[in-house]
Amino acid sequence: MHATIQKPLKEIINALSKDEKVFVVGCGNCAEKCRSGGEEQAREMKARLEKEGVRVVGYAATASGSSLCKLAAAKKLLLEEHKEEVAKADSFLILACGQGIHTVIDATGGAVVHPGCDTIFGGETVSDDFITEYCSLCGECIVEATGGLCPVTICSKGLLNGPCGGAKEGKCEVDKEQDCGWQLIYDRLKELGKLDLFRQYQSPKNYAKRSNPRSLKLEEKRATFKSLAGLRTIGQDR
Amino acid sequence: MSVLKDRLTKSEFVITSEIGPPKGINIEPHLKEAEELKDRVSAINVTDNQSSVMRFGSLATCHLLAKRGIEPVFQVVTRDRNRIALQSDLLSAWGLGVENVLCLTGDHPSLGDHPESKPVYDLDSVQLLQAADSLNQGKDLVGNELDGKPDFFLGAVVTPAADPLEPQIIKMEKKVKAGARFFQTQAVYDAGQFARFMKEVAYLKVPVLAGIVLLKSAGMAKFMNENVAGVNVPQDLIDEMKSVSKEDRPKKSIEIAGRLIKELKPLCQGVHIMPLGWDKYVPQVLDAAGL
Ligand code: SF4
Ligand code: SF4
């Protein structure tokens, strides 16, 4: 899940030029679940903008459960289902994550886009009303050594070799309400009887695998990850 | 050779203190502070953008101390520099007369005066020690040969009153394996608790300098108990501070610190005094401790 939160209306309006005709685009998957950009929020956004005098030529969102960041879906939505309103638009206000914003550029062959949301993290949907992050998409998963809990993400400093001196009563130095990630990792390794993993030195991370932009190429039974660390192909016929 | 290293190697009881560079360029008063302590201590730590507040640099301050014949301990945090900058600064430090390095993670930027800055933490403190140790062996972190190598005396920090203690000790062990040859601790107030800690880490056979922070008032003690990780001022010390008038607080504080050092002396290899502005009382503390 790519978590998003809507930008303040004022910021959205400030980015639009006078008389700009806008089409609002939402996403039926992550953005809908985050209540930042499903069909309902796209409709509401249209009404809120119109109330402020913005010219909105239409709105649309991919169907519930379907992602805007799939190019084929975005094309179908904008170039087929909403072809006529889209033709009148000067620009698109995207209520989705940054991937969705770019998908609209691709789908429209380079249209002007405005971000309507801030993309905040990739997270686990713990419940319908709580999403939190357990992975920072680092490209080199090391949680084998930490009982499945990610130190890069749940420790505020992303420390790999154990806690800093800042934890107090199991809470992190940055926020008294937030669990110290290393306290959680220590507790879990202890429970699993695997504290020896904590004793092992973890070498610095390979940030070349976290370079950007990265890509994944998929062929039948093969997948190739491209980053500044090079190409890595995994597949049955490798 | 590093006097700190020499004295610790000879198992002498060692005293270190520290200064924090200013926010601005007026470094002179801080160098004077260090000069006043010079004859009573083996080395003086210089904090590195302490509490994530942007200040005059630790490396430059260390160099200025070294030029005046005061042995510095260069504190290096991993918060602000990536592995290239950290290694480069370490090589530069050697060139500027710095022989002792204390490797730390550093407080999170959100606690300081530039909370919107990008936290780096490309390395953690253990990895920084490993990098510095490898520079000592003539190689950089990725194994490239150096043209001339330093010979740093490497140190690290530990929190003896951490709860739970085990993760601290595991990390301390990793620091020793990575190259730490001495430890300075978070402020200690409870000799009994510290004795238990020293027993637990005896197997590491590494010199430990107990951290001493002068109590300025009962309020400060309470504040630290509530807000500073791994600091535990026992109630009787708080009561003792409370029992004296405002004018008598420094005297009481000196008495408490002196007594504490006497209690800690048989347990460890030295003390690291963090005066936090009360530099002028450090000589009296040492007198009270019989050092
Ligand atoms: S180690 Fe990297 S890939 Fe694994 S959970 Fe953490 S951020 Fe994600
Ligand atoms: S207190 Fe814990 S979670 Fe916070 S930075 Fe330190 S080790 Fe990481």
Side-chain angles (χ1 to χ4, degrees):
Chain A
M1 144 83 69
H2 267 39
T4 48
I5 187 158
Q6 266 186 18
K7 284 180 175 290
L9 191 65
K10 218 175 141 205
E11 186 182 334
I12 293 175
I13 292 171
N14 282 345
L16 304 173
S17 46
K18 202 171 170 290
D19 297 330
E20 187 171 339
K21 295 194 282 294
V22 181
F23 186 89
V24 180
V25 189
C27 162
N29 200 0
C30 302
E32 179 177 311
K33 289 173 187 135
C34 294
R35 295 166 203 170
S36 57
E39 182 162 1
E40 187 186 328
Q41 290 81 26
R43 186 176 57 238
E44 279 168 14
M45 180 57 77
K46 178 175 185 286
R48 285 161 69 204
L49 289 171
E50 283 173 336
K51 216 174 135 199
E52 300 293 325
V54 176
R55 295 173 65 186
V56 184
V57 294
Y59 75 93
T62 46
S64 218
S66 135
S67 305
L68 178 69
C69 63
K70 208 170 148 187
L71 182 55
K75 276 187 169 164
K76 187 162 167 262
L77 181 74
L78 302 174
L79 307 185
E80 296 174 23
E81 294 165 17
H82 292 270
K83 197 174 158 191
E84 275 148 41
E85 301 135 273
V86 161
K88 290 184 221 146
D90 296 323
S91 66
F92 296 84
L93 173 68
I94 320 297
L95 298 182
C97 71
Q99 322 290 1
I101 295 172
H102 196 271
T103 314
V104 171
I105 296 181
D106 277 344
T108 54
V112 174
V113 291
H114 299 287
C117 293
D118 291 315
T119 305
I120 46 184
F121 56 85
E124 174 185 323
T125 309
V126 182
S127 66
D128 282 348
D129 51 17
F130 190 67
I131 301 162
T132 186
E133 64 182 328
Y134 290 114
C135 169
S136 309
L137 319 176
C138 79
E140 177 191 57
C141 198
I142 51 142
V143 304
E144 192 60 46
T146 47
L149 301 180
C150 173
V152 178
T153 311
I154 65 172
C155 165
S156 301
K157 298 176 189 166
L159 306 178
L160 302 188
N161 280 292
C164 72
K168 196 161 176 78
E169 279 148 25
K171 301 295 174 187
C172 176
E173 72 177 27
V174 304
D175 179 356
K176 282 180 185 168
E177 305 288 304
Q178 183 178 307
D179 289 330
C180 163
W182 268 100
Q183 176 76 44
L184 299 176
I185 293 168
Y186 165 73
D187 290 345
R188 179 150 167 91
L189 288 175
K190 197 169 172 173
E191 192 183 300
L192 295 172
K194 287 187 172 174
L195 273 180
D196 52 315
L197 287 173
F198 181 2
R199 289 197 173 85
Q200 285 165 23
Y201 172 68
Q202 289 295 324
S203 41
K205 280 197 76 63
N206 180 355
Y207 281 95
K209 292 182 181 173
R210 204 179 184 168
S211 61
N212 50 284
R214 296 171 288 185
S215 67
L216 186 68
K217 187 168 186 313
L218 299 163
E219 296 154 284
E220 204 186 340
K221 296 181 180 165
R222 270 158 63 101
T224 303
F225 169 46
K226 183 171 179 251
S227 70
L228 287 182
L231 295 177
R232 189 158 58 89
T233 299
I234 297 295
Q236 287 173 10
D237 59 346
R238 95 191 93 123
Chain B
M1 172 164 148
S2 151
V3 170
L4 181 63
K5 179 179 176 179
D6 187 43
R7 291 191 179 156
L8 284 174
T9 312
K10 289 185 189 144
S11 299
E12 286 174 30
F13 192 78
V14 156
I15 301 155
T16 56
S17 188
E18 76 178 30
I19 58 168
K23 181 143 191 112
I25 58 164
N26 287 334
I27 188 70
E28 193 52 38
H30 301 267
L31 299 176
K32 287 249 162 64
E33 259 169 39
E35 250 167 358
E36 268 151 39
L37 296 173
K38 183 180 160 182
D39 298 328
R40 308 285 309 252
V41 302
S42 294
I44 294 199
N45 286 39
V46 182
T47 53
D48 180 6
N49 293 300
Q50 192 181 5
S51 311
S52 306
V53 171
M54 189 285 295
R55 298 160 193 269
F56 193 93
S58 173
L59 177 52
T61 309
C62 285
H63 172 62
L64 295 172
L65 287 180
K67 261 181 36 184
R68 295 186 186 198
I70 304 167
E71 183 164 310
V73 178
F74 176 28
Q75 294 199 183
V76 183
V77 301
T78 65
R79 174 190 60 232
D80 308 316
R81 283 161 287 189
N82 72 4
R83 62 193 83 175
I84 299 174
L86 287 167
Q87 293 179 93
S88 174
D89 278 2
L90 285 174
L91 294 178
S92 306
W94 185 263
L96 292 170
V98 175
E99 293 180 83
N100 310 305
V101 177
L102 190 79
C103 299
L104 310 100
T105 303
D107 292 336
H108 195 277
S110 66
L111 306 180
D113 66 351
H114 287 60
E116 295 189 356
S117 66
K118 182 175 186 180
V120 181
Y121 303 115
D122 185 25
L123 303 182
D124 62 27
S125 53
V126 181
Q127 294 159 345
L128 175 61
L129 282 160
Q130 184 89 20
D133 191 56
S134 109
L135 296 179
N136 276 351
Q137 326 272 328
K139 293 205 159 109
D140 69 12
L141 191 58
V142 290
N144 296 311
E145 293 284 337
L146 301 181
D147 175 11
K149 58 183 187 183
D151 184 19
F152 289 119
F153 186 48
L154 299 174
V157 295
V158 66
T159 306
D163 179 25
L165 187 57
E166 192 179 23
Q168 275 292 313
I169 294 180
I170 294 176
K171 193 162 183 186
M172 186 177 175
E173 179 184 310
K174 290 169 100 165
K175 287 176 174 178
V176 172
K177 281 192 186 142
R181 295 293 167 264
F182 71 97
F183 280 80
Q184 290 173 326
T185 79
Q186 176 60 285
V188 174
Y189 291 100
D190 182 341
Q193 200 278 334
F194 184 72
R196 288 191 291 281
F197 164 78
M198 287 305 292
K199 222 171 135 191
E200 295 262 350
V201 300
Y203 78 103
L204 293 172
K205 299 189 172 58
V206 63
V208 173
L209 278 59
I212 302 291
V213 170
L214 302 186
L215 285 178
K216 293 181 182 171
S217 65
M220 172 199 180
K222 270 194 229 139
F223 178 84
M224 288 198 296
N225 280 351
E226 277 160 30
N227 297 290
V228 183
V231 174
N232 200 354
V233 188
Q235 191 57 43
D236 49 336
L237 291 188
I238 300 180
D239 293 341
E240 231 185 300
M241 281 308 291
K242 228 189 270 173
S243 70
V244 297
S245 67
K246 201 168 173 203
E247 307 77 66
D248 285 339
R249 278 183 197 159
K251 206 172 128 226
K252 192 73 199 168
S253 175
I254 291 163
E255 181 197 321
I256 291 175
R259 194 173 69 212
L260 191 59
I261 294 172
K262 276 188 189 160
E263 287 168 10
L264 297 173
K265 197 172 174 219
L267 304 170
C268 58
Q269 288 70 36
V271 283
H272 175 61
I273 303 176
M274 298 170 263
L276 306 180
W278 273 18
D279 321 80
K280 57 176 184 279
Y281 300 123
V282 174
Q284 285 163 265
V285 169
L286 295 174
D287 292 342
L291 291 170

